[in-house]
């Protein structure tokens, strides 16, 4: 026999995906399926010797109980879906962890995925999770029309939105006070003598970006400061786009003396731009970020509570599943200003 043929003949059967079943356990232990089921589920009626043989067969085969089939018979899959905007965004780390901790406390597994700020991808992911019979969904929405979820919600899928409200349906939502936080941050810059204040935010169709722009405008209006169009820039948070926007605001005969950054990704890029400036420019960012307190000066921020948002949303979800909630609610968590130095710099001119 040629070497290749001998190698193929000796090659072990590929068993990937072929998990041992209770039937396999029963055959190895020399007992019936019902006996294996009793041992696996901790039910009485099995002698110690038989239980020992069944357990030895389970250990030898690496058998694991099919919890999915078991919970489906009870009408629940003990799993929750989480649809995030971007898994790499540090804002979503503590939010996701909080949802996971609440889910675990309720005996549920968390399955998450990223929409990449694409409404079509959000819908595809959410419906894929529903097809896998998750009990509920926590969604950071990318789109503004969530009527595609109405059949799922009617079928009993608990649904809570986070950070941004649902579009065109009534649903529970947990938000930060984006408007109030932005207004407080800009008012803080005004209180330190600034009048020419730039705003750089995310895409205007995003709820949080629109609310933070509204807060910026409200603070300027409260102080009687007319806003120039060139002081505002909304768009993708790509570093190159943000860098150009910041450099344009900081140039010309009457440049801005302070910048309010609409989220942590914008803030990081603005920090890099300001590091190359000959003059000192004040900065307040919406969202805290790692090492913000170690920069010189430290970065003044409007801090959210992403863990609190995730925890509140998940608890709300399980209240829905328990049948203890009636009408959908809008829950808004407060923000807080953390002064570290960058937002307290006075204008140089």
């Amino acid at each position: 026999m040629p070497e290749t043929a001998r190698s193929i003949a000796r090659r072990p059967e590929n068993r990937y995906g072929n998990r041992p079943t209770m039937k396999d356990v029963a055959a190895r232990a020399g007992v019936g399926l019902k006996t294996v089921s009793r041992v696996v589920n901790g039910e009485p009626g099995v002698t110690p010797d038989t239980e020992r043989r069944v357990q030895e067969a389970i250990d030898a085969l690496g058998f694991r109980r099919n919890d999915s089939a078991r919970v489906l018979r009870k009408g629940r899959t003990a799993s929750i879906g989480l649809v995030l905007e971007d898994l790499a965004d540090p804002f979503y780390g503590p939010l996701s962890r909080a949802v996971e901790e609440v889910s675990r406390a309720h005996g549920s597994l968390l399955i998450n995925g990223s929409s990449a700020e694409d409404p079509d991808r959000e819908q595809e992911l959410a419906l894929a999770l529903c097809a896998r019979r998750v009990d509920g969904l926590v969604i950071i929405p990318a789109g503004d029309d969530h009527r595609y979820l109405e059949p799922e919600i009617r079928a009993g899928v608990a649904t809570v939105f986070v950070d941004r409200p649902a579009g065109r349906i009534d649903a529970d939502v947990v938000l930060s006070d984006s408007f109030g936080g932005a207004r407080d941050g800009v008012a803080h810059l005004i209180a330190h003598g600034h009048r020419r204040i730039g705003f750089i935010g995310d895409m205007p169709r995003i709820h949080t970006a629109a609310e933070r722009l509204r807060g910026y405008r409200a603070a300027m209006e409260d102080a009687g400061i007319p806003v120039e169009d060139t002081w505002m820039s909304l768009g993708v948070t790509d570093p190159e786009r943000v860098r150009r926007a910041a450099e344009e605001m900081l140039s010309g005969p009457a440049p801005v003396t302070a910048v309010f950054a609409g989220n942590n990704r914008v803030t990081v890029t603005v920090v890099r731009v300001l590091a190359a400036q000959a003059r000192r420019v004040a900065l307040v960012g919406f969202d805290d970020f790692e090492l913000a307190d170690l920069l010189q000066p430290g970065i003044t921020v409007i801090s959210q509570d992403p863990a609190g948002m995730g925890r509140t949303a998940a608890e709300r979800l399980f209240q829905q599943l328990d049948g203890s909630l009636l009408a959908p609610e809008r829950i808004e968590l407060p923000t807080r200003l953390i002064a570290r130095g960058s937002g307290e710099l006075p204008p140089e001119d």
Side-chain angles (χ1 to χ4, degrees):
M1 182 184 295
E3 178 62 29
T4 302
R6 285 200 301 271
S7 298
I8 292 173
R10 289 197 302 268
R11 187 176 299 158
E13 181 185 357
N14 184 352
R15 284 186 54 85
Y16 291 125
N18 297 324
R19 297 179 179 177
T21 65
M22 284 203 296
K23 185 176 180 180
D24 297 326
V25 174
R28 186 178 183 97
V31 299
L33 278 173
K34 183 60 177 176
T35 300
V36 175
S37 176
R38 284 174 176 161
V39 173
V40 167
N41 293 300
E43 298 173 359
V46 183
T47 66
D49 181 63
T50 300
E51 183 177 358
R52 176 185 56 77
R53 295 204 326 270
V54 171
Q55 192 59 56
E56 286 175 353
I58 288 172
D59 294 340
L61 294 171
F63 170 80
R64 291 182 65 84
R65 181 177 65 185
N66 186 349
D67 280 342
S68 294
R70 186 171 64 92
V71 296
L72 275 171
R73 288 194 295 270
K74 297 182 177 181
R76 293 277 185 91
T77 60
S79 60
I80 297 299
L82 172 60
V83 180
L84 299 166
E85 175 201 346
D86 182 358
L87 292 170
D89 189 328
F91 174 79
Y92 294 116
L95 189 153
S96 175
R97 178 64 181 272
V99 174
E100 183 178 22
E101 288 176 350
V102 174
S103 298
R104 185 180 179 188
H106 285 81
S108 287
L109 176 71
L110 180 67
I111 307 169
N112 59 31
S114 172
S115 69
E117 203 61 74
D118 181 343
D120 292 335
R121 185 166 169 177
E122 172 215 299
Q123 178 173 340
E124 178 184 357
L125 180 56
L127 292 179
L129 289 166
C130 290
R132 284 158 177 76
R133 301 289 298 273
V134 294
D135 298 324
L137 290 171
V138 176
I139 300 178
I140 290 89
D144 56 7
D145 187 349
H146 293 92
R147 288 176 296 176
Y148 71 87
L149 282 172
E150 286 181 333
E152 310 299 335
I153 294 171
R154 284 196 299 269
V157 178
T159 306
V160 178
F161 289 79
V162 184
D163 196 38
R164 309 163 187 174
R168 307 184 73 174
I169 64 170
D170 289 328
D172 283 313
V173 60
V174 179
L175 307 167
S176 282
D177 183 9
S178 285
F179 168 78
R183 183 180 56 190
D184 291 346
V186 176
H188 186 75
L189 290 168
I190 293 170
H192 285 81
H194 296 276
R195 293 296 180 269
R196 299 196 304 274
I197 303 170
F199 175 88
I200 305 177
D202 209 331
M203 293 181 287
R205 67 174 178 80
I206 296 174
H207 171 81
T208 50
E211 284 295 283
R212 291 166 197 176
L213 176 63
R214 192 167 69 89
Y216 162 83
R217 286 183 171 278
M220 298 291 273
E221 183 179 349
D222 290 345
I225 303 172
V227 176
E228 301 285 343
D229 289 342
T230 55
W231 296 352
M232 297 175 291
S233 178
L234 281 83
V236 295
T237 55
D238 174 76
E240 184 59 27
R241 198 283 300 181
V242 174
R243 182 188 62 77
R244 287 196 306 270
E247 288 176 348
E248 289 172 3
M249 291 180 186
L250 294 166
S251 62
V256 298
T257 63
V259 175
F260 184 82
N263 64 34
N264 54 9
R265 287 166 291 184
V266 172
T267 305
V268 169
T269 301
V270 173
V271 167
R272 292 193 172 107
V273 172
L274 295 185
Q277 294 289 310
R279 61 191 180 92
R280 303 192 79 178
V281 176
L283 171 65
V284 174
F286 204 110
D287 289 344
D288 207 352
F289 61 97
E290 192 173 7
L291 304 182
D293 57 329
L294 298 182
L295 297 172
Q296 292 297 326
I299 306 303
T300 297
V301 298
I302 301 297
S303 177
Q304 302 187 80
D305 182 9
M309 294 171 69
R311 184 168 52 253
T312 302
E315 289 171 349
R316 188 83 183 171
L317 190 82
F318 283 100
Q319 287 175 338
Q320 286 186 25
L321 289 170
D322 292 340
S324 58
L325 294 180
L326 298 175
E329 287 189 16
R330 177 188 178 108
I331 301 171
E332 193 166 80
L333 303 185
T335 59
R336 65 189 181 100
L337 187 144
I338 303 176
R340 296 190 177 120
S342 70
E344 294 68 58
L345 296 172
E348 290 191 354
D349 53 4

